[in-house]
Amino acid sequence: MPISVLLADDQHLVRAGFRSLLRRGRDIEVVGEASTGDEAVRTARQLRPDVILMDIRMPGMDGIAATRQILAEQDTRIIILTTFETDEYVFAALAAGASGFLTKEIDPDGLRSAVRVVAAGDALLSPSVTRRVVGQFAHRPVPAAATAGGDRLAVLTEREREVVRLIATGLSNDEIARELVISPLTAKTHVTRAIAKLGVRDRVQLVIVAYEDGLVG
């Protein structure tokens, strides 16, 4: 079965461009479109797509609120579309449960690859993007969750905690392996266990927890 995709963007030309690019992938099918966050929620509820490409800034309900509502109702994968350099809402979108984000300047092959990666259950957050996300918020005050006495990271072993910290600073599994002098497979195992123990969706959410619990900042 092809990967079903819903496009949510208030600009018709943007949707048309993405639709044209995605249709060149034989394993990808655009099954619906939405021009507002409210319409995205309704259409997602009706079509239950595998992946949603979601713009942040739309009339009425924005992409962050739409992402949060959709993921409360169904287990789909959402990629945020943004112009990262000027969009201060990326972190909030990831915290809402998005599996990653793309800039609208992405090349055709990168767009199709991103849809496939996310549909397969992986997070679309490269090491360079992780560094930029963390850097964007590094100078903010420590979140209340980090000072409220609760430590979600307490369920992790010291090694798993260190791996999560390294993920949150933007390292890939291979880089973590070199840093800790372990094999890449062992690093991947630690990541998988940390995701399971913390009950998060993916690598993106590990970064969110690390930030919110004060492990990085």
Side-chain angles (χ1 to χ4, degrees):
M1 296 292 292
I3 300 168
S4 58
V5 177
L6 169 64
L7 303 177
D9 194 292
D10 63 334
Q11 298 183 42
H12 175 75
L13 288 178
V14 172
R15 297 198 310 274
F18 281 132
R19 181 174 64 250
S20 176
L21 294 176
L22 290 172
R23 282 179 174 172
R24 297 177 188 175
R26 296 184 178 181
D27 58 336
I28 299 173
E29 179 183 5
V30 177
V31 296
E33 298 183 21
S35 59
T36 68
D38 299 280
E39 187 179 3
V41 172
R42 293 194 301 271
T43 307
R45 189 178 294 142
Q46 176 185 0
L47 299 178
R48 303 189 74 84
D50 298 315
V51 176
I52 301 174
L53 295 181
M54 179 79 73
D55 189 22
I56 289 183
R57 296 171 177 172
M58 292 184 289
M61 180 187 295
D62 64 23
I64 296 173
T67 293
R68 188 178 296 111
Q69 184 165 334
I70 290 169
L71 294 179
E73 298 179 3
Q74 59 184 276
D75 185 23
T76 189
R77 311 288 289 184
I78 297 179
I79 301 174
I80 297 297
L81 297 172
T82 183
T83 50
F84 180 82
E85 290 79 4
T86 59
D87 201 328
E88 63 183 13
Y89 303 111
V90 170
F91 190 88
L94 296 177
S99 295
F101 68 87
L102 299 173
T103 62
K104 293 182 179 179
E105 293 77 21
I106 189 170
D107 63 80
D109 288 339
L111 177 65
R112 291 186 289 269
S113 175
V115 168
R116 295 182 184 110
V117 166
V118 168
D122 292 327
L124 188 69
L125 196 62
S126 68
S128 62
V129 167
T130 305
R131 293 186 186 101
R132 292 170 70 180
V133 171
V134 173
Q136 179 79 4
F137 297 89
H139 300 294
R140 293 190 176 189
V142 176
T147 59
D151 183 5
R152 288 173 290 180
L153 301 174
V155 298
L156 304 180
T157 65
E158 284 300 318
R159 177 48 60 91
E160 290 164 352
R161 194 181 181 101
E162 179 66 6
V163 167
V164 171
R165 186 188 67 79
L166 293 173
I167 289 173
T169 58
L171 299 192
S172 66
N173 285 352
D174 286 346
E175 290 171 327
I176 290 171
R178 289 194 294 270
E179 178 76 15
L180 300 180
V181 195
I182 57 178
S183 72
L185 179 59
T186 299
K188 182 178 180 180
T189 298
H190 287 312
V191 174
T192 301
R193 288 176 178 170
I195 288 173
K197 287 182 178 181
L198 293 172
V200 296
R201 288 166 58 92
D202 49 39
R203 194 183 188 95
V204 175
Q205 297 301 302
L206 284 181
V207 176
I208 303 300
V209 171
Y211 168 75
E212 291 182 339
D213 280 40
L215 188 60
V216 293

